[in-house]
Amino acid sequence: MAEYRSKVLIIGSGPAGYTAGIYAARAGLAPLLISGSEVGGQLTSSPEIENYPGFNQSSSTLELMDIMQKQAMHFGVKIINDTIVETDFQHRPFECVSANHNIFLAHSVIIATGSSAKWLDISSETKFRGHGISACATCDGFFYRNQDVAVIGGGNSAAEEAVYLTNFAHSVTLIHRRDTLRADKILQDKLRKNPKITIKYNSVVEEFIGEDDPLLLQALKIRNIKNDKTETISAAGAFVAVGHQPNTRLFEGQLQLDAKGYITTAPDSCATSIEGVFAAGDVKDPIFRQAIIAAGSGAQAAIEAGRFLQH
Ligand code: NAP
């Protein structure tokens, strides 16, 4: 247990957190950055990124986040691998307590805790999570070499994961509850052009089926909601990609949140309902949720924190 004091405390190590760190460090604010349990943030659960400016070909998200971390450290951001579990924004310096029982006192705080994957919340999903069901193709796709897998969802994440999984899997079935995909057109085209991918529209997962001892996923029972027909498709792996929820439980009762739990910020600003506390990236962005936007937002939060500290 230790006590740390800083002008700026950054919570989170995604594009928003690291960019806030780079800007705050270059402004002479000697920021402390607490990485959280998912170092590099949610982006690292996508395998590749093509739309982050500065790269003329697909880049590994792990590599991108590694570069951001090194850039932040190069400018003097002190990174601590710990997770904030308690905050008190009622008085200054603000106080945050970590899972490792460290205490962080800071004159301003930048929250960049991002958002997390959602699950379908059916009982068989809970049973097979980690035993065939995953929310991260980058992490787990490799285990399904030459096997049949399924992806659930119709957004960009689902489309990217489905395409990525064709690098390993024998076949990929994309299961989507509507008759149109939400994914960008370029990704939809990639899906349709890939002979390994089959799309099941208007379909929902009723049950994940597999062996009990050891726990092992083998198939998915899916139902077509238009004609009510069910079928069982073979799948050794299932990747749930049905969106995200903001990581804001920690701030309930401390900061103003919107109906979906995202941190509310002032128009054109990262300022939260508490003066000196700023929010950046996906934790305050239910609409765009892009790495580049999160990074820009981190820069904005650091500039605003610097101006706040000058007063
Ligand atoms: P998303 O865009 O919110 O899509 C979630 C998908 O899951 C939707 O198709 C939704 O269906 C479906 N879904 C939600 N709840 C479900 C449930 N209970 N059962 C079955 N299906 C369910 O989430 P995302 O794909 O994770 O993307 C999040 C954000 O990150 C988006 O803004 C996306 O553009 C961005 N992103 C961008 C990239 C990129 O540009 N390279 C990559 C990944 C993500 P409905 O369509 O019926 O609502």
Side-chain angles (χ1 to χ4, degrees), residues 71-120:
Q71 190 177 358
M73 289 166 74
H74 170 75
F75 287 114
V77 179
K78 182 165 185 186
I79 298 174
I80 297 177
N81 290 324
D82 201 349
T83 303
I84 299 298
V85 292
E86 218 180 293
T87 56
D88 182 355
F89 296 146
Q90 297 313 308
H91 53 83
R92 282 209 297 267
F94 302 121
E95 187 174 320
C96 298
V97 180
S98 77
N100 293 338
H101 307 290
N102 293 314
I103 293 172
F104 298 92
L105 300 170
H107 294 285
S108 71
V109 173
I110 297 174
I111 298 168
T113 49
S115 59
S116 295
K118 280 187 191 163
W119 296 94
L120 299 177

Side-chain angles (χ1 to χ4, degrees), residues 246-311:
N247 297 321
T248 53
R249 186 172 289 178
L250 186 58
F251 312 112
E252 281 172 11
Q254 298 261 351
L255 297 175
Q256 194 181 328
L257 308 179
D258 73 9
K260 288 185 175 168
Y262 288 85
I263 296 176
T264 307
T265 49
D268 300 323
S269 166
C270 294
T272 70
S273 53
I274 298 274
E275 209 186 354
V277 178
F278 302 88
D282 287 14
V283 76
K284 66 158 218 140
D285 177 11
I287 301 166
F288 299 107
R289 294 176 290 180
Q290 298 298 301
I292 184 63
I293 293 172
S297 167
Q300 184 179 353
I303 292 169
E304 290 189 85
R307 288 178 184 162
F308 164 77
L309 289 167
Q310 275 173 359
H311 291 141

